[in-house]
Amino acid sequence: VICNVPATVTIPAGQYRIYFTVTGAGVGSTTVTASASGYSATQDLSVNVVTPQLNFSGPSNTTVGHMSNFNVHMTTPGAYYSGNQAAASAISVNLTSSAPGVATVPSTTTIPAGSTSSNNTALTGVAVGTTTLTASGAGLSSATSGVITINP
């Protein structure tokens, strides 16, 4: 199964279209076909479900003993509104610091169902130096942050 769509939709009287949600269920391409009783034409909708790409919003540089909040958000490459494709169910994202002796992060964060990004997650400065963060998860394209400096 590539995607899920409602089995039926109803176009309200006086309207000529209805919007509905297409939910990705697996990576691939498929066609959704719409037809209506009393109409001879059908309408095809090509659907490509792709792997979501993770990205960082922040974190910024911080100091030893302090925290810097950041979010992990997902985009959908090739989508018309690539930043507005919300998670159908909660997505667990693994986080790692390239230098845990310099800065630590929680091992996971979550992108809630219906959202495009995690809630504020905190990087904690441990010692002077630099680090980068990596976000990864099953069925997701991973991301690496820019260099983060921990100051005295």
Side-chain angles (χ1 to χ4, degrees):
V1 174
I2 303 298
C3 69
N4 294 307
V5 296
T8 62
V9 295
T10 301
I11 299 173
Q15 301 293 313
Y16 62 95
R17 67 178 168 204
I18 185 80
Y19 292 99
F20 60 92
T21 299
V22 176
T23 303
V27 174
S29 298
T30 191
T31 300
V32 174
T33 300
S35 61
S37 198
Y39 292 87
S40 60
T42 60
Q43 180 67 49
D44 291 340
L45 171 66
S46 296
V47 176
N48 295 312
V49 177
V50 300
T51 301
Q53 172 67 52
L54 295 174
N55 302 279
F56 284 97
S57 296
S60 59
N61 298 338
T62 194
T63 56
V64 173
H66 290 92
M67 297 195 300
S68 177
N69 286 331
F70 66 95
N71 291 321
V72 176
H73 61 95
M74 64 176 189
T75 57
T76 308
Y80 191 71
Y81 295 106
S82 66
N84 288 342
Q85 309 303 310
S89 59
I91 297 173
S92 180
V93 178
N94 302 314
L95 299 172
T96 57
S97 170
S98 65
V102 172
T104 60
V105 291
S107 60
T108 60
T109 190
T110 301
I111 299 173
S115 182
T116 60
S117 68
S118 65
N119 296 323
N120 283 336
T121 305
L123 165 131
T124 302
V126 176
V128 173
T130 61
T131 190
T132 58
L133 304 181
T134 300
S136 63
L140 303 166
S141 291
S142 63
T144 301
S145 72
V147 174
I148 303 158
T149 301
I150 308 303
N151 297 301

